[in-house]
Amino acid sequence: MSKDILKLDGPVFGVAVDQGSGLAAAIKDARGNAAQDDDLLQFKRIVVETLSPEATTLLVDANYGRELLPHYDPNCTKMLAFEADVYKISDEDRITALPSGLEVSDFPQLGAQILKFFLYFGPNDAPELNQRKFDLVEDIGQRCRENGVTFLFEPIVYDRAIPDGTSADYAMVKPELVRAATQAFADPKFGVDILKVEIPVNFNFVEGTGAPLMSRADAERAFVSAAEAAGDIPLLYLSAGVTFEQFRDALSFSRNAGVDALGFMCGRAIWSDAIGIFGAQGPAAMERWMQTTGRARLADLKEAIA
């Protein structure tokens, strides 16, 4: 990886708008009878045009990447997802489908300097299944190296024994799941340049912010332990659908805990409220909201982790 690709001498402030079918459905519902075939593309273009001037990097999806990449601010590093449809996983094994019509070798020509790939990973799953996932990530890492593309990998953890990821039971095991996944994919054989990881604790169950099932000291230790598992690989925290305020506070907590993360990648926590504005008032109103509230939220996240 080129060491200056993400300005590794300072924090990375990333924006993500790589959501696919789920975002399309939300926009269609918000637009109602006014829905248009190009609403999803138009929504994403507004996010790119309003936030890329303020972001270090911005992530778009494989389906609309070719249309969106030309709309970036020239100082914003282009990141492209290597997935058919982010989070759309129907197979019980939860293996991410690769995109059709896009190869790693296409990235340099498209001007996409970073490839992002996400995968659901259960550290407690059967070794045979996890080996298939390891093989897939290793193959993508090899292709990135062959094509001079920076590889950002995003493991999303789960535990089949606790299907409710919002439960107290899951909150108690999540720190170890995140730590184990981070450690596994920090192995140099995968060729991962940057790990995009989950906040390792659920603050709904941390004293002072929710039910006191975990002390703040234990939460701090969970952050440090999960981060140390990455070794020398830089970490970006992902927002994972929490509110803007929750993500901002989690970033600040990580800094106070002593974690020196490279930065963050944030999507819905910044722009989810714009869906309703786009639906009720149209693209121009959404653009005004993104230029004011959207940019202000991004600035607040920068301050939280700087």
Side-chain angles (χ1 to χ4, degrees):
M1 176 183 68
S2 171
K3 289 300 179 184
D4 61 356
I5 190 68
L6 278 177
K7 301 179 177 62
L8 293 181
D9 57 342
V12 168
F13 311 125
V15 174
V17 63
D18 57 327
Q19 287 79 0
S21 56
L23 177 56
I27 293 172
K28 183 176 181 180
D29 183 64
R31 290 279 267 169
N33 293 334
Q36 302 291 323
D37 291 341
D38 66 345
D39 279 346
L40 180 59
L41 175 59
Q42 192 168 195
F43 183 96
K44 289 172 178 277
R45 179 186 55 76
I46 292 171
V47 173
V48 170
E49 291 181 344
T50 56
L51 295 187
S52 67
E54 310 296 329
T56 304
T57 185
L58 196 145
L59 169 67
V60 293
D61 60 294
N63 293 327
Y64 289 103
R66 285 181 170 86
E67 289 91 344
L68 293 169
L69 291 173
H71 292 273
Y72 278 57
D73 182 270
N75 293 316
C76 183
T77 298
K78 297 176 180 179
M79 186 186 305
L80 183 59
F82 195 59
E83 304 133 6
D85 187 352
V86 66
Y87 304 135
K88 186 178 182 182
I89 305 296
S90 58
D91 191 284
E92 185 177 324
D93 290 341
R94 307 187 194 187
I95 295 180
T96 306
L98 300 184
S100 59
L102 179 68
E103 298 295 339
V104 179
S105 57
D106 295 327
F107 277 59
Q109 182 180 0
L110 292 170
Q113 297 145 300
I114 307 170
L115 178 150
K116 169 259 185 179
F117 179 71
F118 102 94
L119 186 67
Y120 285 114
F121 181 72
N124 299 321
D125 273 355
E128 297 80 8
L129 172 57
N130 282 344
Q131 187 59 53
R132 289 168 56 200
K133 296 183 178 183
F134 291 150
D135 291 345
L136 175 59
V137 175
E138 188 172 356
D139 176 65
I140 293 173
Q142 178 61 34
R143 286 191 269 170
C144 284
R145 288 193 295 273
E146 292 170 353
N147 290 278
V149 176
T150 298
F151 182 25
L152 182 150
F153 178 61
E154 175 185 349
I156 301 293
V157 299
Y158 66 90
D159 191 318
R160 293 179 191 273
I162 312 174
D164 183 0
T166 66
S167 67
D169 287 341
Y170 186 79
M172 293 297 97
V173 302
K174 185 178 180 181
E176 173 55 22
L177 295 176
V178 174
R179 189 208 63 78
T182 301
Q183 182 179 56
F185 290 103
D187 190 314
K189 71 179 182 180
F190 295 112
V192 174
D193 296 305
I194 305 166
L195 278 164
K196 180 184 174 189
V197 298
E198 296 173 81
I199 298 294
V201 304
N202 183 338
F203 282 95
N204 290 327
F205 300 99
V206 175
E207 67 171 339
T209 58
L213 298 185
M214 178 183 288
S215 70
R216 295 186 71 81
D218 284 343
E220 289 179 352
R221 283 189 285 269
F223 267 89
V224 172
S225 177
E228 289 179 343
D232 294 332
I233 297 180
L235 298 179
L236 298 180
Y237 284 119
L238 63 101
S239 56
V242 301
T243 67
F244 162 72
E245 291 81 10
Q246 288 172 326
F247 189 53
R248 177 200 61 203
D249 294 347
L251 292 179
S252 180
F253 189 93
S254 74
R255 279 293 192 247
N256 292 334
V259 175
D260 186 24
L262 180 62
F264 62 81
M265 290 291 300
C266 183
R268 287 166 289 178
I270 292 178
W271 49 252
S272 62
D273 290 338
I275 297 172
I277 296 169
F278 184 88
Q281 303 174 49
M286 175 195 167
E287 186 168 356
R288 290 191 296 271
W289 187 92
M290 291 297 304
Q291 288 173 339
T292 53
T293 305
R295 286 183 171 180
R297 287 182 175 183
L298 179 55
D300 284 347
L301 295 180
K302 291 180 182 182
E303 184 177 353
I305 202 167

